[in-house]
Amino acid sequence: MLDGREVDQAELLDVAKDEDRARSLLRALRTLSTGPDPKLREMARGVLRGDLTAEQAFTDPEYTAALFSGADKVRRAGELRSEAEAREAGERFGEWQQARRTEDEREDQGTPPSDTTPRTTPGQQPAAPWRHSGPGEVGGPGTLGVSRPTGPFGHG
């Protein structure tokens, strides 16, 4: 961050409600703070610096619109992929989840990453399973490993 200060997990508990969700929210904010969407970068950086609370960010109409727009793009990409692509993404997601759990356990114990843990530079998130791995592959978080389920809002 510009002044070196960054909120910690405890400061996100009012919105996240528990430690695991707060950790996940902090990771998401870090990812958004370097992402391609300028409105989401602005929002995430403001929360990370402490200039804006997470509750303020998630209730601001402009930031909410940007979040929903991104989620809609992911949903549409998931709808366009084949059953084989969905299965492959589900397998990669399971592997990614296991690696993430291992990383979280190491962080909780204060153990440095092992030689088998993917290396990342400061501020860079580990590669997620929905990253494009080949030509024509479409996918995204929130739609991994399933083929077009009907969601709570009737999408699908």
Side-chain angles (χ1 to χ4, degrees):
M1 302 294 42
L2 298 175
D3 63 3
R5 182 200 187 290
E6 181 178 283
V7 297
D8 62 18
Q9 286 177 210
E11 295 174 272
L12 299 173
L13 282 173
D14 60 326
V15 170
K17 306 295 184 217
D18 66 50
E19 292 289 329
D20 289 337
R21 289 180 180 159
R23 181 180 309 132
S24 180
L25 177 56
L26 187 57
R27 283 186 179 137
L29 288 167
R30 287 175 179 155
T31 300
L32 290 172
S33 74
T34 60
D37 186 298
K39 189 53 77 175
L40 293 178
R41 272 196 319 267
E42 173 187 307
M43 181 269 302
R45 289 175 181 175
V47 173
L48 289 170
R49 281 191 311 264
D51 297 340
L52 184 67
T53 68
E55 184 174 355
Q56 290 170 322
F58 299 142
T59 57
D60 179 279
E62 288 185 43
Y63 296 145
T64 302
L67 285 166
F68 280 111
S69 173
D72 191 49
K73 289 175 189 170
V74 169
R75 181 189 58 80
R76 282 193 309 260
E79 289 173 350
L80 294 174
R81 72 175 174 201
S82 70
E83 294 292 324
E85 289 169 328
R87 277 192 300 280
E88 182 183 334
E91 292 168 7
R92 286 193 321 266
F93 183 66
E95 293 166 3
W96 177 78
Q97 280 183 311
Q98 183 58 45
R100 197 64 174 254
R101 277 192 288 270
T102 302
E103 182 182 317
D104 287 347
E105 290 169 4
R106 286 192 181 110
E107 284 177 9
D108 291 344
Q109 298 169 357
T111 307
S114 73
D115 289 338
T116 61
T117 304
R119 304 278 184 210
T120 59
T121 58
Q124 177 190 6
Q125 295 296 312
W130 53 82
R131 299 282 192 245
H132 297 281
S133 63
E137 182 176 341
V138 178
T143 59
L144 298 172
V146 295
S147 60
R148 300 171 193 82
T150 301
F153 302 108
H155 297 300

